[in-house]
Amino acid sequence: MPDAAPQRSDALKNREVILQVAHDAFAESAGASLNSIAKRAGVGPGTLYRHFPTREALILEVHRHDMGRLVDSVPEVLATRAPLDALRQWFTTLAGYVRIKHGLGEALHSAAAQEVVSASWPPVTAAVGQLLDACERAGEVRPGIDPIDVIMLMSCLWRTPDSPDGSAQADRLMELAIDGFRP
């Protein structure tokens, strides 16, 4: 009887590939089909459906996965960038993820979806707190800024159009907000 460990490793690899491909597919088109995602991921539809039995399940797991990766990226971003640049990069990435989520519209309005989205905010708030603490220690922002206030203020970033003009507008809005954080 073959060892089950390699199969489990393959299943985990398939799952990760499906999540990345689904993230990219949903970024391109909110209407991306599960069959097209399976094909792009190089797996059969049965493999995709075994991991994610419904479109909503896949969308919610992509959201959870994206938010988890983003939260987990804070130490690396802070290690490779000055604190204020880390904050900028992190919020630009967050805005991209949330823009995808908004593009999925109705798929994220169920009770299960609201539960997943709500569960992602405490870790996101804690990550923003880490970024702000680093900026504060570097003297780049004034002390005592509330991470939730920053998230609310920065929410304008994911409301800008997904276009070069929208990106330029998001950069301007971010700089206006950052100017308000300075000591």
Side-chain angles (χ1 to χ4, degrees), residues 134-151:
C135 290
E136 186 179 323
R137 284 190 304 276
E140 296 176 316
V141 301
R142 68 177 182 273
I145 298 175
D146 185 323
I148 294 173
D149 292 346
V150 172
I151 293 168

Side-chain angles (χ1 to χ4, degrees), residues 15-150:
R15 186 178 190 285
E16 286 299 312
V17 169
I18 290 167
L19 288 171
Q20 185 57 53
V21 167
H23 167 91
D24 295 344
F26 293 141
E28 293 165 16
S29 169
S33 74
L34 295 186
N35 286 339
S36 70
I37 291 169
K39 185 175 182 178
R40 284 174 62 174
V43 300
T47 298
L48 185 140
Y49 285 105
R50 197 168 24 263
H51 288 282
F52 309 102
T54 65
R55 178 179 180 75
E56 180 184 46
L58 178 58
I59 290 169
L60 294 178
E61 192 54 32
V62 167
H63 175 76
R64 186 183 352 258
H65 186 258
D66 285 350
M67 292 296 111
R69 282 191 343 202
L70 184 61
V71 166
D72 292 346
S73 76
V74 169
E76 181 182 336
V77 171
L78 285 170
T80 59
R81 297 183 174 271
L84 204 52
D85 288 337
L87 181 82
R88 284 182 182 100
Q89 178 186 344
W90 196 89
F91 266 103
T92 298
T93 304
L94 175 63
Y97 288 169
V98 175
R99 198 174 288 116
I100 291 169
K101 180 183 81 87
H102 281 209
L104 296 171
E106 287 303 311
L108 290 173
H109 288 297
S110 70
Q114 291 309 306
E115 187 176 313
V116 167
V117 171
S118 294
S120 69
W121 284 109
V124 167
T125 301
V128 172
Q130 292 174 359
L131 290 161
L132 288 171
D133 288 346
C135 290
E136 186 179 323
R137 284 190 304 276
E140 296 176 316
V141 301
R142 68 177 182 273
I145 298 175
D146 185 323
I148 294 173
D149 292 346
V150 172

